[in-house]
Amino acid sequence: MATSRAASPLAAYVLHQYDWSETSLIVELFTRAQGRVVVAAKGAKRPTSNFRPVLLPFHPLLVQLGKPPKDEQAEVLNLRSAEWAGGAAFLASSALYAGFYVNELLLKLLPRQDAHPTLFDAYAGTVTALAEGADESPTLRAFELVLLRELGWLPALDAATLTGQTLEAGARYALQADAGLLAHGDGLPGTTWFALEAALSQAGLAALQTACVPVAGALRVPLRNLLHYHLGSHQLRTRDVWQGVMRLVDSR
């Protein structure tokens, strides 16, 4: 008689959680194999629950999920198990806000049940970099570039979007939310866009983070504009909270 085999655990991170009942939680997970999923962690608030010490943001997890419900409209799965996968990331101070900003981007832009392994790996690398004290601005710009490319919203960075012509190394180009990459005197040199495209498409996250270091400040506004263009009416609360904190610090 054949025996059923348990599904392999999924690599995952906690993006957000909220109360479901007096003892349970609804948890938004970002998994490598299934993308963003929402699960019910039954009994997670009990002092003796195995979920209680592990369902924390920025900690790599291995989770097992229950079978999908018969009702195709239902999106909530049962969380059967969750365990720490090692390499816990402890984010402090502004790095913590940067981490929550990344989480909020995924929650508001990534559809549920849409797997993006490359984006998951970039998220894991971003969290690790923030925990290790990396400069937050280029780290966030690199993640934003990967996110936009994975969702199909970032044009090729080695060609003018409207004409398809390869960029000229010495000319300057700007990234605009509604028109893509186009010639603009206040933009970045073609060589910079070439380097970013090469790192983004071939070299990996670490190389992309390095490529973003000298231009992180110049990339912040165009990338944020592009993100807001696709966010529509949604506002990013994390950024507003952090700006409020910085204003309070400056006033003191």
Side-chain angles (χ1 to χ4, degrees), residues 113-133:
Q113 302 289 347
D114 187 13
H116 288 274
T118 299
L119 182 58
F120 181 91
D121 294 342
Y123 176 87
T126 298
V127 168
T128 298
L130 291 172
E132 292 175 349

Side-chain angles (χ1 to χ4, degrees), residues 116-154:
H116 288 274
T118 299
L119 182 58
F120 181 91
D121 294 342
Y123 176 87
T126 298
V127 168
T128 298
L130 291 172
E132 292 175 349
D135 190 345
E136 291 154 26
S137 185
T139 301
L140 291 179
R141 300 297 81 78
F143 180 80
E144 289 169 345
L145 285 167
V146 176
L147 173 64
L148 288 164
R149 175 59 57 83
E150 280 291 301
L151 295 180
W153 298 333
L154 184 73

Side-chain angles (χ1 to χ4, degrees), residues 28 44 46 57 75 78 104 111 113 125 149 151 156 205 220 250:
E28 290 268 9
R46 293 193 178 104
E75 291 187 313
N78 285 326
E104 188 176 12
Q113 302 289 347
R149 175 59 57 83
L151 295 180
L205 182 66
R220 183 177 65 85
D250 292 341

Side-chain angles (χ1 to χ4, degrees), residues 24 36-37 44 60 67 81 84 101 113 126 157 190 202 221 235:
S24 302
R36 186 166 69 92
V37 296
K67 294 180 179 180
S81 68
W84 176 53
Y101 165 72
Q113 302 289 347
T126 298
L157 300 180
Q202 302 172 16
V221 172
Q235 297 296 317

Side-chain angles (χ1 to χ4, degrees), residues 183-215:
H184 196 289
D186 293 331
L188 295 171
T191 51
T192 297
W193 293 114
F194 283 135
L196 290 170
E197 178 62 35
L200 184 60
S201 60
Q202 302 172 16
L205 182 66
L208 181 59
Q209 291 170 342
T210 300
C212 286
V213 169
V215 291

Side-chain angles (χ1 to χ4, degrees), residues 49-126:
S49 172
N50 292 331
F51 292 142
R52 190 179 179 94
V54 297
L55 292 180
L56 302 172
F58 316 121
H59 288 240
L61 302 176
L62 290 174
V63 303
Q64 286 191 313
L65 309 181
K67 294 180 179 180
K70 294 181 180 180
D71 180 2
E72 294 183 357
Q73 300 300 316
E75 291 187 313
V76 181
L77 305 176
N78 285 326
L79 181 62
R80 293 176 53 197
S81 68
E83 61 183 35
W84 176 53
F90 295 95
L91 275 59
S93 187
S94 59
L96 184 63
Y97 283 95
F100 282 124
Y101 165 72
V102 169
N103 282 7
E104 188 176 12
L105 285 178
L106 293 176
L107 285 166
K108 291 187 174 178
L109 291 173
L110 190 64
R112 286 177 176 162
Q113 302 289 347
D114 187 13
H116 288 274
T118 299
L119 182 58
F120 181 91
D121 294 342
Y123 176 87
T126 298

